[in-house]
Amino acid sequence: DIQMTQFPASLSASVGDRVSISCRASQTISSYLNWYHQKPGKAPKLLIRAASSLHTGVPSRFSGSGSGTEFTLTINGLQPEDSGTYFCQQTYSDPSYTFGQGTKLEIK
Amino acid sequence: EVQLVQSGAEVKKPGESLRISCKASGYLFNSYIIAWVRQVPGKGLEWMGTVFPGDSTTTYSQSFQGQVTISVDKAVTTAYLQWSNLGASDSGIYYCARRSLPGSTFRGRYGLDVWGQGTTVTVSS
């Protein structure tokens, strides 16, 4: 299986800040990379697919970049509702489309 | 409205069997892959496998191959995840989710756009 490693494991930031979360794949996955956001007690929600394509309805303050093995999720102008855990997922190597271990974002 | 509604929480004993369900509505059920994902509280997301309702084709990750069975009933637009011999390590929250693009192959530049609310399974003696 392809291993997905996210960093940092957690971070704390203030409303209005710009934050970045990284995701590294153990082998190249082209741009077959998705990002999800999960609030406590809720199902994950798709934010970005194909490394940089914003899913329908997702605010434009979210953006994604990268290809190959290195990827970044950036939030410009952090909002209180952005707290929660962010997961990356590779959809390159079947049959196991592995997730990163998650990055927990706290809003100060 | 496109939605996936999962069956309720379950409490089971080791060795028992279980089937949980994921009822789809609001879209062409046969055309979209359904995936199952496990989450142990406080931990990350684990990919379990998929089913394509159009022809009932299933795939499993290595970790779950032989441990669970994924199936589908097109007549009632419902996907299932079942166990024949539960163990304590099967405890967790199980989500079903839909691949965002229709088609029979999951691999690609598309994610899971609609998720069920999750089913909590607790296995304890």
Side-chain angles (χ1 to χ4, degrees):
Chain A
D1 288 359
I2 295 177
Q3 306 304 313
M4 305 300 293
T5 303
Q6 289 182 235
F7 47 94
S10 64
L11 74 157
S12 181
S14 300
V15 172
D17 282 355
R18 178 186 186 197
V19 300
S20 291
I21 297 169
S22 296
C23 177
R24 176 179 295 155
S26 60
Q27 63 188 75
T28 184
I29 57 170
S30 183
S31 60
Y32 291 36
L33 191 284
N34 307 311
W35 289 98
Y36 300 86
H37 176 220
Q38 185 179 35
K39 303 281 266 184
K42 299 293 187 181
K45 289 186 176 180
L46 180 63
L47 294 174
I48 288 172
R49 68 166 186 88
S52 60
S53 295
L54 216 58
H55 181 59
T56 305
V58 175
S60 58
R61 64 180 180 274
F62 290 91
S63 64
S65 64
S67 68
T69 61
E70 303 283 343
F71 302 87
T72 302
L73 172 70
T74 300
I75 310 172
N76 278 297
L78 202 59
Q79 297 299 304
E81 60 266 31
D82 298 337
S83 66
T85 304
Y86 291 82
F87 295 95
C88 60
Q89 179 204 21
Q90 63 83 15
T91 48
Y92 183 84
S93 175
D94 55 11
S96 184
Y97 300 105
T98 44
F99 295 88
Q101 78 280 17
T103 295
K104 188 171 182 179
L105 173 59
E106 175 198 80
I107 312 297
K108 291 178 192 171
Chain B
E1 179 193 3
V2 176
Q3 58 179 352
L4 298 173
V5 178
Q6 297 185 230
S7 50
E10 301 276 0
V11 179
K12 292 290 192 179
K13 290 181 166 43
E16 290 186 333
S17 62
L18 173 65
R19 188 178 78 167
I20 62 176
S21 65
C22 170
K23 168 74 174 174
S25 61
Y27 71 96
L28 195 57
F29 179 69
N30 288 2
S31 297
Y32 291 76
I33 287 173
I34 295 286
W36 286 94
V37 176
R38 180 172 79 177
Q39 186 169 38
V40 175
K43 303 278 187 174
L45 302 167
E46 297 176 88
W47 185 268
M48 300 181 71
T50 65
V51 61
F52 177 61
D55 60 9
S56 299
T57 299
T58 54
T59 68
Y60 297 90
S61 75
Q62 258 192 318
S63 301
F64 292 93
Q65 178 82 50
Q67 308 304 307
V68 297
T69 301
I70 296 170
S71 62
V72 67
D73 184 339
K74 290 187 286 188
V76 292
T77 65
T78 299
Y80 301 98
L81 178 65
Q82 71 180 67
W83 296 259
S84 59
N85 183 14
L86 285 162
S89 60
D90 294 315
S91 294
I93 302 170
Y94 292 85
Y95 293 102
C96 62
R98 186 189 81 160
R99 184 181 186 257
S100 61
L101 189 75
S104 60
T105 302
F106 194 95
R107 184 180 185 270
R109 295 178 173 88
Y110 294 89
L112 299 165
D113 67 339
V114 180
W115 292 65
Q117 81 277 21
T119 296
T120 299
V121 174
T122 304
V123 184
S124 175
S125 53

